[in-house]
Amino acid sequence: PQGRSSCPPLAALSQVLKLERSRREGVVFPLRRLARNLVPGAEEATFALFQPGLSALQRAETLFTSGRGHAIDYVSSAVRMEHAPQPALPEVCFIGRSNVGKSSLIRALFALAPEVEVRVSKTPGHTKKMNFFNIGKYFTLVDMPGYGYRAPKDFVDMVEAYLQERHNLKRTFLLVDGVVGIQSTDLIAVEMLEEFGIPYVMVVTKIDRISKGLLLKNVLRIQEFVKDKTQGCFPQLFLVSSVDFSGVHLLRCFVAHVTGSLPTVEAT
């Protein structure tokens, strides 16, 4: 485990900026980098809809870095909505199949606040409750229970109630395993989000575990699904690796953006 004072390499932008250019682009904009492998003439628009400049990325990083006067805290856990903390701040939630790497991703997002404990279990389906984290006075991030394998029995009730009742929810992040793509259990979550008209984003995890060719194939397949089968999903996918921090900086920036925590996001 990481020591309290040390944070993993590449967790901070300052480390990423020291890399040579193509590697740097691969870490900050993995989807844009992947787009270079497309056949000439392929549709590229959805690969670069959200392209913040360096100052926006840096501002987002400060939000995810704990410091004096800016605490990043685990607030509480809830099994039912009546136990959830009062909806005081803009909120985002992360949902996904058990074993999709959700807790690992949240831990990567919080890597610059090592005092925050995000439990990452060896056994899938370990998150049985909704876990609430406050990012200073800016926004709240909610880690939802995993669905599918070993999901809590009342998962659908819990998540349905949360999605319908949480008026401060700004965006839902739906995690999809980059190695296997969209699974039948993911479709249940998609149907729920579409039915309630909740704006959401698909985050493709574990991109370090797969070859570029296969990843591109899966990404194109997921993009096609988003285009043809969804209305509430943001057209750009977010690719992430909790291991080498690819896409983590961009995802922090998007979270800060959708919660209204960034003044403006200027494009690169």
Side-chain angles (χ1 to χ4, degrees):
Q2 297 294 336
R4 280 182 175 268
S5 56
S6 67
C7 73
L10 304 188
L13 264 173
S14 56
Q15 297 298 314
V16 179
L17 295 173
K18 292 175 185 169
L19 300 171
E20 49 98 16
R21 194 175 164 185
S22 68
R23 175 89 208 290
R24 189 171 65 213
E25 188 190 33
V27 173
V28 182
F29 298 111
L31 185 66
R32 190 168 80 185
R33 182 94 185 116
L34 192 65
R36 298 196 172 171
N37 302 305
L38 287 167
V39 292
E43 178 58 58
E44 279 190 56
T46 51
F47 280 83
L49 292 172
F50 182 73
Q51 296 290 302
L54 184 59
S55 63
L57 289 162
Q58 285 168 330
R59 167 83 182 124
E61 180 170 290
T62 62
L63 293 173
F64 280 92
T65 307
S66 53
R68 283 181 61 182
H70 178 67
I72 297 173
D73 292 323
Y74 160 76
V75 183
S76 65
S77 298
V79 177
R80 286 193 294 281
M81 279 309 293
E82 53 263 37
H83 301 153
Q86 285 302 308
L89 298 169
E91 204 158 271
V92 292
C93 79
F94 282 65
I95 64 174
R97 215 159 46 87
S98 301
N99 205 25
V100 75
K102 185 163 48 65
S103 299
S104 301
L105 175 58
I106 292 171
R107 192 157 72 172
L109 289 169
F110 288 155
L112 302 172
E115 68 283 357
V116 179
E117 194 186 343
V118 182
R119 293 192 177 89
V120 179
S121 169
K122 295 230 178 336
T123 50
H126 190 71
T127 310
K128 301 283 189 226
K129 299 171 179 170
M130 302 179 272
N131 297 315
F132 293 79
F133 299 88
N134 274 358
I135 287 69
K137 300 176 179 69
Y138 291 91
F139 58 91
T140 302
L141 187 150
V142 189
D143 181 10
M144 300 297 273
Y147 53 79
Y149 173 70
R150 288 186 61 188
K153 288 183 182 62
D154 46 5
F155 168 80
V156 172
D157 301 340
M158 190 195 300
V159 175
E160 238 176 40
Y162 172 84
L163 293 174
Q164 282 186 296
E165 295 169 27
R166 207 68 176 168
H167 302 303
N168 57 329
L169 179 63
K170 298 298 179 194
R171 202 66 54 113
T172 294
F173 290 81
L174 173 59
L175 276 54
V176 174
D177 190 320
V179 181
V180 294
I182 294 175
Q183 300 292 289
S184 53
T185 39
D186 297 321
L187 299 177
I188 298 164
V190 169
E191 277 167 31
M192 213 187 287
L193 291 161
E194 289 286 333
E195 188 190 330
F196 301 150
I198 307 281
Y200 64 106
V201 185
M202 283 200 197
V203 179
V204 180
T205 63
K206 305 182 185 177
I207 65 166
D208 55 285
R209 295 196 190 173
I210 183 172
S211 71
K212 276 217 167 63
L214 193 53
L215 178 61
L216 183 61
K217 199 168 149 186
N218 286 350
V219 159
L220 290 170
R221 208 173 278 161
I222 298 167
Q223 277 183 342
E224 199 172 321
F225 172 87
V226 169
K227 188 179 162 192
D228 299 343
K229 302 278 200 294
T230 74
Q231 288 180 317
C233 188
F234 188 62
Q236 179 180 321
L237 304 177
F238 286 81
L239 273 52
V240 293
S241 161
S242 307
V243 176
D244 62 18
F245 286 85
S246 294
V248 169
H249 305 277
L250 186 65
L251 189 60
R252 283 180 189 145
C253 198
F254 192 72
V255 169
H257 170 60
V258 296
T259 54
S261 312
L262 288 181
T264 52
V265 176
E266 80 298 356
T268 39

